[in-house]
Amino acid sequence: MDIGGTKDFEFNIRDPKFLDEQALWEEAKRVYSKCKDCRMCVTYCPSFPALFDAVDRHDDDIEKLSKEELALPLELCFHCKQCYFKCPYTPPHEWRIDFPHLSLRYKVWKFKNKGAKLIDRLMVNTDLVGKLSVPFAGIVNKLNNTKPVRVILENFMGIDRRAKLPPINSQTLVDWYKENRKPVKGENGKIALFSTCLFNYNYLEKGIALLRVLEKNDLWVEIPEVQCCGIPFFDVGDIDTVIEKAKHNVKVLKSYVSAGYDIVVPVPTCALQIKYEYPLLLPEDPDAKLVSEKVFDVHEYLWKLKEKGRLNQDFR
Ligand code: SF4
Ligand code: SF4
């Protein structure tokens, strides 16, 4: 599916064979047969070493891979898209390699047929976890750093006790901005800031710093009432929930685009989600494409201003 001449993907949820198990394994074998001879992505993530180990165990014969061996590389993908952007064989190349979307297709198939553990479904619901945690930020932040709680989190949620957990904000970024926005004329542009779960619930200081940079540059900023972009739900393959969130966010963001706002996103994963995944998830909604065209990663947006000589870099 071409989404506007810039990026093309091998992912079509309308394809009648999208959820067909046999077609899924055939596509995995097709992609693996190219990757095994290329091996460029071996250092990017655990998916490719798992694939190449399996191929080597079977003397280079893809047909001998078991279903478990076919599934493991797709299971291990965490959708960073590094391989997609580096691979020379992505669409429109005739090989049409799109490893992250193959992984997503597998996870969607798995979720529809086998479901997901309740705890995994809770963990990907970053909006809900954030909303529940913020009023108790002080105690949650303290408990999250105690050994007994880390042991419980490891045993029940699979979170390694050594992993650094993000802090919980004492206030959401949205609420902070309502109380602390500075008056600007907005002569340098109008921005709808997609707050993101990370900034809204976990990294308030970074969000404040960003808002101050935008205000200093005389940018008029609104923070729309959006939901999570939905990408955490890709991890469990719950595509229906992602589609619901995409519909909601496109509706909200479209009203800003129509009023002349650019959509600026401070977390690259969420920016990729709105810009590239929403039009694939909502192929019949022209507004998804309209919104997509106005989405900018925050660094891209500031760089654009700099190139036009309109970025005030006078920071102490
Ligand atoms: S995704 Fe592309 S670049 Fe990476 S190993 Fe496969 S064919 Fe090679
Ligand atoms: S998108 Fe998936 S397969 Fe590709 S580099 Fe990232 S984690 Fe690995």
Side-chain angles (χ1 to χ4, degrees):
M1 174 178 287
D2 184 357
I3 65 156
T6 48
K7 291 277 175 287
D8 196 2
F9 302 99
E10 189 65 14
F11 189 71
N12 181 4
I13 58 173
R14 297 276 177 271
D15 184 340
K17 289 197 167 169
F18 182 73
L19 291 174
D20 180 282
E21 183 180 0
Q22 195 52 36
L24 171 66
W25 299 133
E26 287 307 317
E27 175 62 1
K29 285 185 208 166
R30 187 190 74 80
V31 170
Y32 293 175
S33 70
K34 307 297 183 196
C35 291
K36 79 176 175 59
D37 293 336
C38 164
R39 304 204 174 201
M40 188 182 86
C41 300
V42 68
T43 57
Y44 291 174
C45 69
S47 292
F48 291 97
L51 167 58
F52 303 144
D53 284 351
V55 171
D56 292 345
R57 271 197 301 277
H58 295 290
D59 296 327
D60 214 29
D61 188 349
I62 291 284
E63 291 301 327
K64 288 187 181 155
L65 265 63
S66 65
K67 274 188 192 171
E68 289 71 28
E69 286 170 321
L70 288 171
L72 187 60
L74 306 176
E75 194 78 58
L76 293 172
C77 168
F78 45 86
H79 304 274
C80 72
K81 290 194 170 50
Q82 193 177 182
C83 62
Y84 173 83
F85 285 106
K86 294 280 173 65
C87 178
Y89 310 118
T90 53
H93 188 281
E94 60 179 318
W95 289 359
R96 301 189 68 81
I97 305 290
D98 185 343
F99 206 103
H101 277 118
L102 176 61
S103 161
L104 179 56
R105 181 176 166 190
Y106 159 76
K107 287 178 183 176
V108 173
W109 168 81
K110 190 178 157 200
F111 185 76
K112 296 251 184 219
N113 288 281
K114 302 178 183 175
K117 285 194 278 186
L118 192 63
I119 199 74
D120 290 341
R121 294 177 77 162
L122 175 69
M123 273 169 56
V124 297
N125 199 335
T126 46
D127 247 343
L128 180 68
V129 173
K131 277 182 188 132
L132 291 176
S133 303
V134 165
F136 310 101
I139 184 133
V140 174
N141 286 330
K142 273 202 189 105
L143 286 175
N144 276 350
N145 286 315
T146 61
K147 202 171 169 193
V149 169
R150 295 310 303 261
V151 171
I152 293 169
L153 291 180
E154 186 173 88
N155 288 334
F156 289 97
M157 299 174 96
I159 302 172
D160 191 294
R161 69 186 75 178
R162 296 162 299 177
K164 198 173 173 211
L165 293 178
I168 304 294
N169 291 343
S170 54
Q171 183 180 28
T172 64
L173 182 66
V174 172
D175 285 345
W176 181 89
Y177 190 54
K178 280 179 194 155
E179 295 164 12
N180 295 282
R181 72 185 293 170
K182 286 186 177 169
V184 295
K185 287 187 186 146
E187 287 177 355
N188 211 9
K190 295 194 293 185
I191 286 176
L193 185 72
F194 190 92
S195 52
T196 76
C197 297
L198 269 182
F199 275 46
N200 207 24
Y201 303 121
N202 302 109
Y203 294 104
L204 182 62
E205 295 299 318
K206 287 184 171 59
I208 294 171
L210 170 61
L211 285 163
R212 292 301 182 226
V213 169
L214 300 176
E215 285 169 343
K216 187 176 177 74
N217 274 279
D218 197 19
L219 291 155
W220 184 270
V221 181
E222 296 292 344
I223 305 187
E225 295 281 341
V226 289
Q227 297 179 1
C228 164
C229 71
I231 199 161
F233 291 83
F234 277 177
D235 265 346
V236 293
D238 184 0
I239 200 167
D240 293 336
T241 298
V242 189
I243 289 173
E244 285 313 307
K245 290 186 180 299
K247 279 183 187 164
H248 172 88
N249 290 339
V250 164
K251 194 170 166 210
V252 173
L253 296 176
K254 165 68 187 346
S255 61
Y256 285 89
V257 169
S258 299
Y261 284 75
D262 289 321
I263 314 295
V264 173
V265 190
V267 176
T269 313
C270 314
L272 284 172
Q273 177 79 348
I274 306 166
K275 194 164 187 67
Y276 295 128
E277 303 297 342
Y278 280 10
L280 297 174
L281 296 169
L282 306 174
E284 276 127 35
D285 183 353
D287 289 348
K289 176 95 188 315
L290 257 174
V291 166
S292 155
E293 285 164 358
K294 289 290 175 184
V295 169
F296 299 91
D297 170 78
V298 67
H299 302 98
E300 178 191 13
Y301 192 83
L302 294 175
W303 186 256
K304 206 164 60 93
L305 286 183
K306 184 174 186 295
E307 284 187 323
K308 290 177 186 163
R310 285 166 34 202
L311 181 69
N312 183 347
Q313 291 172 278
D314 180 22
F315 295 108
R316 272 174 288 159

